[in-house]
Amino acid sequence: LFSIWICEKASADLLEKDHSSIVIDELAGMWVALLPALYMTSQTSRTSYAVLAFIFFRIFDIWKPFPISYFDTNFKNGFGIVLDDLIAGVLATIPAMVLIYLGFL
């Protein structure tokens, strides 16, 4: 909620609402992507998962597949700025967890 408020205030006078200088939304998305690491039992799996989650989060955040693209284009306010990164964080957990639990890393 704090990120939404900050993004709303920071983007109020900007022409490009989701400007690259606003990074608190990226931080919120990464926190979401890293939540499953709290439940992993070994340091190796936590570290591997964190690296994979970061890579997949950046891929989803840059490519913006649906539904990320929907929120990115239709909500040009603090809510939309943060929500597209939160969705990218949720989507990043899926391939990262699959790779970890299948034992690829």
Side-chain angles (χ1 to χ4, degrees), residues 4-104:
I4 294 170
W5 182 78
I6 290 291
C7 288
E8 186 69 35
K9 296 297 180 187
S11 67
D13 296 330
L14 297 174
L15 294 176
E16 182 186 346
K17 294 301 179 189
D18 195 358
H19 193 269
S20 61
S21 65
I22 302 172
V23 295
I24 195 167
D25 57 326
E26 311 288 335
L27 185 62
M30 270 307 301
W31 283 346
V32 169
L34 291 174
L35 280 175
L38 295 173
Y39 302 102
M40 296 186 177
T41 55
S42 72
Q43 184 62 38
T44 304
S45 62
R46 280 191 297 271
T47 304
S48 298
Y49 175 82
V51 170
L52 287 171
F54 174 74
I55 291 168
F56 285 117
F57 173 75
R58 293 305 302 149
I59 289 170
F60 288 130
D61 190 40
I62 292 167
W63 284 351
K64 297 194 185 308
F66 183 82
I68 300 166
S69 60
Y70 176 80
F71 290 99
D72 185 52
T73 56
N74 294 319
F75 294 92
K76 294 296 183 184
N77 54 21
F79 176 73
I81 292 170
V82 175
L83 188 60
D84 73 319
D85 289 296
L86 293 178
I87 295 169
V90 170
L91 291 178
T93 64
I94 297 166
M97 288 184 68
V98 166
L99 289 175
I100 290 297
Y101 286 113
L102 290 178
F104 290 115

